Amino acid sequence: MNTLERHPMVLIVIGIMGISLSSILVKYAQSPSVVTAAYRLLWTVFLMTPAVICSKKYRRELSQTSRKLVLLCILSGIFLALHFTLWFESLNHTSVASSTTIVCTEVIWVALGWRLFLKGRLSGKACAAIAVTLAGSILIAFSDSSGQGSHLYGDFLALLAAIAVAVYTLIGRLARATASTAVYTYLVYGACAVTLVFMTLAQGLSLTGYGPSGILVGFLLAVFSTILGHSIFSWCLKFLSPAFVSASKLCEPAVAAVFAAFLFHEIPKPLQILGGLVIIAGVIAYSRVEQGREEA
């Protein structure tokens, strides 16, 4: 067992920093939101390709991939593309604190989707946790609606981004039943990258001509937020409980808000802070309900 396996908390901290940098890096991009998202996924696929192609195990799995799995990955990639585009655009209209906190409601929309479309069950405690989380979102929206600018529109985009990534997660639950993490993510990221390129062209935009900032931000997002962020959390599931890993991700809004306060002078309002705390409390409560259900 190597050092990182003996101390997985080190990687948890790296993962938190990685995903927290996502919203900060997007703020520095000079390219349109959909183009920045395309850069991120194109870089991610580029960096993942050698590891997947050079592995005999993964090459064999890719060659044996069923048509159903490919279709699920394509569909999942489309919703992931929508998530990135909507979330990146929300950061152009509202604060980092509001946007990242609302996006963290993903788990709640996954729960509702699980109940409505996949015939799952929600207990009374789970419903109460969902209600608390939605109340927190309303507090943030109410706070942002009283200010100037398009903050409320940005909050709405962040909410749509959370719903889009929830659909991506639900599809992933079906696809991951027969696919490894590496192959599944590679196919999904590939489909997501293609979708984002088509979305860019469909809007009459170009993938070039925005200076080096967009390309650099896309590369940094791929390295820090995807590979050293979400991929690390997936790896940590081997050593830590899913509930703990999920709860660790809730540090993102707080860390991102601190970065934004220093870099962009975005100081959250009291009602924003209260709404964020209510959302995080609701998500933690729901995670504990899920953990209790899994252990029962």
Side-chain angles (χ1 to χ4, degrees):
M1 182 178 289
N2 59 39
T3 302
L4 291 177
E5 291 178 342
R6 288 197 300 269
H7 305 283
M9 281 302 300
V10 174
L11 285 180
I12 285 289
V13 173
I14 294 174
I16 291 171
M17 297 298 291
I19 62 175
S20 299
L21 283 172
S22 183
S23 55
I24 303 301
L25 290 170
V26 170
K27 287 277 193 178
Y28 285 105
Q30 299 299 314
S31 52
S33 300
V34 65
V35 177
T36 304
Y39 286 154
R40 173 178 180 169
L41 269 296
L42 288 170
W43 272 117
T44 300
V45 172
F46 176 78
L47 294 172
M48 285 185 67
T49 295
V52 174
I53 299 303
C54 292
S55 169
K56 184 178 180 180
K57 172 186 174 182
Y58 295 145
R59 288 201 310 271
R60 185 186 304 113
E61 185 177 346
L62 281 171
S63 66
Q64 297 173 351
T65 300
S66 66
R67 180 179 299 180
K68 178 182 177 181
L69 177 60
V70 171
L71 291 176
L72 286 174
C73 289
I74 291 174
L75 188 60
S76 184
I78 291 172
F79 278 97
L80 185 60
L82 290 173
H83 161 71
F84 283 130
T85 304
L86 290 165
W87 183 39
F88 288 3
E89 185 61 24
S90 80
L91 290 165
N92 292 328
H93 299 277
T94 191
S95 67
V96 168
S98 292
S99 182
T100 54
T101 303
I102 291 173
V103 165
C104 276
T105 62
E106 169 207 348
V107 64
I108 301 304
W109 302 109
V110 168
L112 290 175
W114 181 254
R115 173 67 180 86
L116 295 175
F117 302 108
L118 298 180
K119 299 180 180 179
R121 294 183 178 180
L122 291 178
S123 66
K125 291 182 179 179
C127 291
I130 291 173
V132 168
T133 304
L134 295 178
S137 300
I138 293 172
L139 287 174
I140 289 178
F142 182 77
S143 173
D144 287 342
S145 66
S146 61
Q148 296 180 345
S150 54
H151 294 288
L152 193 58
Y153 176 63
D155 293 346
F156 178 66
L157 291 178
L159 182 63
L160 292 179
I163 294 173
V165 78
V167 177
Y168 151 77
T169 301
L170 286 171
I171 297 172
R173 286 192 178 187
L174 300 176
R176 282 299 315 281
T178 58
S180 65
T181 300
V183 169
Y184 167 70
T185 54
Y186 185 67
L187 291 174
V188 170
Y189 290 160
C192 183
V194 171
T195 300
L196 287 166
V197 169
F198 274 113
M199 289 172 64
T200 299
L201 299 178
Q203 295 179 46
L205 299 172
S206 172
L207 285 168
T208 59
Y210 307 103
S213 66
I215 297 175
L216 178 60
V217 166
F219 174 75
L220 294 175
L221 284 169
V223 173
F224 289 102
S225 302
T226 302
I227 296 175
L228 294 180
H230 295 289
S231 296
I232 278 184
F233 282 120
S234 297
W235 183 85
C236 286
L237 288 172
K238 180 179 179 182
F239 304 97
L240 300 168
S241 71
F244 179 80
V245 173
S246 297
S248 299
K249 294 180 182 180
L250 294 177
C251 294
E252 177 187 359
V255 176
V258 171
F259 284 147
F262 280 101
L263 296 173
F264 310 124
H265 306 291
E266 291 184 358
I267 308 301
K269 301 175 184 177
L271 200 55
Q272 277 181 294
I273 296 174
L274 177 60
L277 292 174
V278 170
I279 286 176
I280 292 173
V283 173
I284 290 176
Y286 177 78
S287 299
R288 288 182 175 176
V289 171
E290 281 293 292
Q291 184 183 23
R293 186 178 64 84
E294 290 173 359
E295 293 175 351

